[in-house]
Amino acid sequence: MRLVVAKCSVDYTGRLTAHLPLATRLLIVKADGSVLVHSDGGSYKPLNWMSPPCRLRVTDRADAEDAAEDAAATLPEEDWVQEWDVVHDKTGDRLRVRLVEILQDTSIELGIDPGLQKDGVEAHLQALLAQNIETLGEDWSLVRREYPTAIGPVDILARDADGGTVAIEIKRRGEIDGVEQLTRYLELLNRDPLLAPVRGMFAAQAIKPQAKVLAGDRGIDCVTLDYDALRGIDDAESRLF
């Protein structure tokens, strides 16, 4: 990653035209080729940017003057020391940054990022629900986490108060794809005479209305999980509202 703090002007041309007048800004060039222009306030979003695939060509003023002299041409009178010309490979959109003064220019090798690890992902929810399976109903019991099937593991296999088998699919955000996934698991599990009949339960921190409709149509129960309550942080019974 390259970080440049410079006094610069920025022009964007393509599907729209935008101009940033001369000011001190932070310019970021990432390893994927993207170029971002940031100010020191206003928002976490860049003022302007170019996403990959794109090409960056950097021209120093001295080189541009030599080329202009060879071509018997003249450069614009605007005073600049370096020009960045960024062109998108597919759309042809162009981002031109003219640097009048470079205050800092640093390149850092960040390496491969492991990605954001969110609190409350499916694995955490699965472990918490398995430890607190009775929150789904009195006298419920855990059969197994990650119950294996030919098409992948079911998050939780449990038995309800009547001894019936329940396959539980857990998501942070419940969408139609999750209901489809659970439907496939149920089809396989109900072929096993030792488990059948197996009913399904779709559990998530939030479930989209379309997913609820599809689950109801297929006889699958929907449960909204309270992550803080499962962790013992939030006691729903002691709340006023």
Side-chain angles (χ1 to χ4, degrees):
M1 178 180 288
R2 183 182 177 189
L3 305 174
V4 178
V5 178
K7 191 173 183 180
C8 63
S9 63
V10 182
D11 288 282
Y12 189 99
T13 55
R15 288 163 291 181
L16 55 84
T17 300
H19 174 70
L20 292 171
L22 199 63
T24 302
R25 300 184 177 93
L26 169 64
L27 309 174
I28 300 176
V29 183
K30 294 187 176 181
D32 63 4
S34 55
V35 178
L36 303 94
V37 181
H38 281 273
S39 67
D40 197 22
S43 174
Y44 65 90
K45 293 182 179 180
L47 298 172
N48 216 322
W49 68 92
M50 184 70 78
S51 301
C54 58
R55 291 168 285 110
L56 167 62
R57 185 183 66 185
V58 178
T59 303
D60 291 325
R61 178 78 180 196
D63 294 335
E65 288 176 343
D66 290 342
E69 184 178 347
D70 293 341
T74 57
L75 290 176
E77 294 182 359
E78 181 183 354
D79 186 23
W80 54 271
V81 296
Q82 197 173 85
E83 182 179 80
W84 294 12
D85 194 25
V86 192
V87 180
H88 197 276
D89 290 342
K90 294 183 178 179
T91 65
D93 288 10
R94 181 186 182 192
L95 183 71
R96 189 187 67 181
V97 185
R98 281 188 167 171
L99 291 68
V100 172
E101 181 181 5
I102 298 175
L103 304 175
Q104 184 171 340
D105 189 344
T106 305
S107 294
I108 303 173
E109 180 59 49
L110 299 183
I112 299 174
D113 191 277
L116 179 65
Q117 298 179 354
K118 296 181 179 179
D119 191 20
V121 295
E122 283 91 341
H124 297 154
L125 289 169
Q126 182 192 120
L128 287 168
L129 187 58
Q131 294 168 9
N132 301 276
I133 197 68
E134 67 282 353
T135 59
L136 297 178
E138 189 177 351
D139 296 328
W140 277 52
S141 60
L142 175 69
V143 176
R144 179 174 172 175
R145 288 178 57 191
E146 299 287 334
Y147 188 88
T149 74
I151 58 173
V154 177
D155 287 336
I156 290 180
L157 198 67
R159 293 199 183 277
D160 59 23
D162 297 324
T165 308
V166 185
I168 306 171
E169 180 64 24
I170 300 171
K171 300 292 183 184
R172 287 189 69 249
R173 186 175 182 84
E175 301 184 1
I176 286 177
D177 288 348
V179 178
E180 295 284 7
Q181 183 180 358
L182 179 54
T183 300
R184 294 191 292 270
Y185 288 149
L186 290 171
E187 183 180 348
L188 283 177
L189 293 171
N190 275 299
R191 296 177 188 175
D192 187 340
L194 298 178
L195 297 176
V198 183
R199 66 185 178 95
M201 179 174 287
F202 190 49
Q205 290 179 282
I207 302 177
K208 286 192 173 182
Q210 300 92 327
K212 288 184 178 180
V213 171
L214 181 61
D217 185 63
R218 296 183 178 179
I220 295 172
D221 296 327
C222 288
V223 174
T224 302
L225 299 176
D226 188 327
Y227 183 58
D228 288 337
L230 287 173
R231 294 171 66 195
I233 294 176
D234 180 40
D235 183 3
E237 295 182 358
S238 65
R239 287 193 235 145
L240 292 177
F241 304 98

